[in-house]
């Protein structure tokens, strides 16, 4: 394997990563002495989101560490053969992207190498969390995902593995599997990478026509509008408390003399001091419903959910504090997209 000297995100030699096709070749890859091995797992069709994961892994591993990228389209994760066949496969371009981002090796096995006896008889079960949201829409998806992640963790033997927060439920399940089954690896989430128009980067975005992409922008628009609504409502509560300390919040809002405060006074008075789950859901849903009502290229909503990041159960309307994830899945044309954003209730308290 060609070696290179890297510091942070800078690749000083633009070395081509070693391409490994078998478990034996991967096992023969020398581990860095006194440094760590970091792994980024992908299904290929690499984009800037994957490159960000690789660069983050490169920085974490350091110039003396090792970054291994896996490229494997896992058939166990696909419910329909058509979806599996449609998934883009661009290994040559993936190698270039991995090299530019700082990978030392790319492990790109075939299906027969990962599942030499056919589909495995023993699999990892995702449990109740794996039956919610994406699991409900795609039965068996997370069992297949965890099974291949477990295999790849055993094969690559990393010190740390990096996954994107765009697939928040996947990240939560991998983290839970590693904890519950005592895998000796650190799991690190990396924030979602977005195009300038806000759409979360995905290998599936290439299937969107320009008109469909315009519709799909309702997803990030809904999420960020909900985030803004939460921030505004929490700021409003804080200002009301400051205006009328220990008193009536509605009176405090009216005392502010703001048109919106006056209009919202009764609703805010009845709301929890810091939490606003209902407002968050309503704000996002209004934007998604507008996109769903389009005459051409409408958005077909699968789910909109405000969930606890620990187990992906729905956040109750009386939640006053704590972390949450607002997640959405929808289909535009033939393309199914997911997105999410982390929220914190009571952040200003």
């Amino acid at each position: 394997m060609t070696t290179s000297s890297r510091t942070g995100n800078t690749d000083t030699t633009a070395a081509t990563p070693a391409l490994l096709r078998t478990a034996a070749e991967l096992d023969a890859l020398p581990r860095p002495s006194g440094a760590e091995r970091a792994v980024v797992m992908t299904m290929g069709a690499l984009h800037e989101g994957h490159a960000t994961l690789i660069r983050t892994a490169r920085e974490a591993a350091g110039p003396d560490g090792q970054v291994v990228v896996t490229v494997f389209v896992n058939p166990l994760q696909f419910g329909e053969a058509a979806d599996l066949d449609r998934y883009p496969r661009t290994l040559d371009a993936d190698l270039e992207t991995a090299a530019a981002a700082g990978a030392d090796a790319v492990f790109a096995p075939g299906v027969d190498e990962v599942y030499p006896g056919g589909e495995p008889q023993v699999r990892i079960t995702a449990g109740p969390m794996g039956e919610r949201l994406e699991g409900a829409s795609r039965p068996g998806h997370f069992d297949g995902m965890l099974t291949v992640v477990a295999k790849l963790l055993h094969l690559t033997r990393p010190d740390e593995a990096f996954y994107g927060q765009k697939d928040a439920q996947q990240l939560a399940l991998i983290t839970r599997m590693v904890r519950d089954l005592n895998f000796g690896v650190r799991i690190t989430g990396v924030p979602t990478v977005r195009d300038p128009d806000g759409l979360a980067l995905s290998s599936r975005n290439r299937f969107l026509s320009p008109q469909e992409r315009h519709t799909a922008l309702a997803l990030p628009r809904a999420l960020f509008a909900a985030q803004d609504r939460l921030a505004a409502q929490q700021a409003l509560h804080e200002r009301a408390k400051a205006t009328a300390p220990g008193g009536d919040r509605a009176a405090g809002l009216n005392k502010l003399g703001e048109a919106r405060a006056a209009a919202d006074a009764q609703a805010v008075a009845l709301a929890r001091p810091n939490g606003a789950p209902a407002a968050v859901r309503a704000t996002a849903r209004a934007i998604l419903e507008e996109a769903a009502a389009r005459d051409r290229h409408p958005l077909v909503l699968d789910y909109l959910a405000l969930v606890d990041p620990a187990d992906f159960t729905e956040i109750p309307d009386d939640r006053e504090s704590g972390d949450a994830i607002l997640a959405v899945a929808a289909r535009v044309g033939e393309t199914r997209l997911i997105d999410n954003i982390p929220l914190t209730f009571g952040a200003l308290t």
Side-chain angles (χ1 to χ4, degrees):
M1 181 183 71
T2 302
T3 58
S4 59
S5 175
R6 298 183 175 96
T7 303
N9 293 342
T10 302
D11 184 346
T12 60
T13 64
T16 300
L19 176 59
L20 312 173
R21 290 292 201 169
T22 68
E25 290 174 346
L26 178 62
D27 193 53
L29 180 69
R31 292 186 67 91
S33 177
E36 294 199 339
R37 174 182 285 179
V39 163
V40 174
M41 295 183 187
T42 81
M43 291 205 297
L46 303 188
H47 49 64
E48 180 58 27
H50 297 110
T52 299
L53 285 169
I54 298 168
R55 287 194 294 267
T56 303
R58 176 79 268 159
E59 185 174 357
D64 298 323
Q66 188 178 74
V67 175
V68 177
V69 176
T70 69
V71 175
F72 179 65
V73 182
N74 179 30
L76 301 187
Q77 292 176 230
F78 291 82
E80 298 180 8
D83 288 341
L84 175 61
D85 294 340
R86 189 175 183 232
Y87 196 88
R89 292 160 173 83
T90 58
L91 183 58
D92 289 342
D94 293 343
L95 289 171
E96 293 179 4
T97 299
D104 295 296
V106 172
F107 178 49
V111 174
D112 291 341
E113 182 68 23
V114 177
Y115 304 122
E119 291 193 2
Q121 297 296 303
V122 177
R123 307 189 188 192
I124 301 291
T125 300
M129 193 191 337
E131 298 173 357
R132 300 171 186 136
L133 301 190
E134 284 299 291
S137 298
R138 305 166 68 187
H141 166 73
F142 284 125
D143 290 357
M145 179 276 295
L146 289 179
T147 297
V148 79
V149 167
K151 291 203 70 166
L152 290 173
L153 286 175
H154 287 313
L155 288 168
T156 58
R157 295 175 289 121
D159 298 286
E160 188 169 10
F162 295 80
Y163 302 88
Q165 291 178 356
K166 173 181 170 289
D167 296 296
Q169 193 172 4
Q170 170 180 282
L171 174 59
L173 281 163
I174 292 171
T175 302
R176 186 62 184 253
M177 176 185 73
V178 165
R179 185 180 70 192
D180 286 356
L181 301 184
N182 298 99
F183 281 65
V185 59
R186 299 189 304 277
I187 302 299
T188 299
V190 178
T192 300
V193 180
R194 299 180 181 275
D195 272 330
D197 61 8
L199 194 65
L201 294 186
S202 169
S203 301
R204 299 178 186 272
N205 290 354
R206 68 187 66 196
F207 299 129
L208 295 169
S209 69
Q211 296 81 8
E212 289 171 341
R213 186 181 179 98
H214 179 70
T215 298
L217 292 178
L219 272 67
R221 197 161 61 244
L223 296 177
F224 285 108
Q227 182 185 55
D228 290 345
R229 179 65 180 129
L230 175 62
Q233 184 156 334
Q234 292 185 157
L236 193 60
H237 279 303
E238 292 300 308
R239 294 175 66 187
K241 285 164 57 179
T243 303
D248 187 291
R249 288 197 303 278
L253 291 170
N254 280 318
K255 196 171 180 181
L256 288 171
E258 298 179 359
R260 182 170 182 176
D264 287 353
Q266 183 177 1
V268 175
L270 296 173
R272 267 61 59 190
N274 301 302
V280 164
R281 292 186 180 98
T283 298
R285 187 169 294 278
I287 293 173
L288 296 170
E289 288 177 349
E290 180 183 352
R294 294 181 187 274
D295 293 332
R296 300 184 62 190
H297 310 292
L299 179 147
V300 180
L301 183 64
D302 187 346
Y303 61 76
L304 173 69
L306 183 65
V307 297
D308 189 320
D311 57 11
F312 275 69
T313 55
E314 284 280 350
I315 294 290
D317 282 344
D318 60 355
R319 173 67 61 88
E320 296 186 1
S321 62
D323 294 331
I325 291 174
L326 183 62
V328 61
R331 189 175 294 275
V332 182
E334 297 299 316
T335 305
R336 187 175 185 275
L337 301 171
I338 64 172
D339 203 349
N340 70 84
I341 192 170
L343 299 174
T344 300
F345 292 92
L348 297 180
T349 301

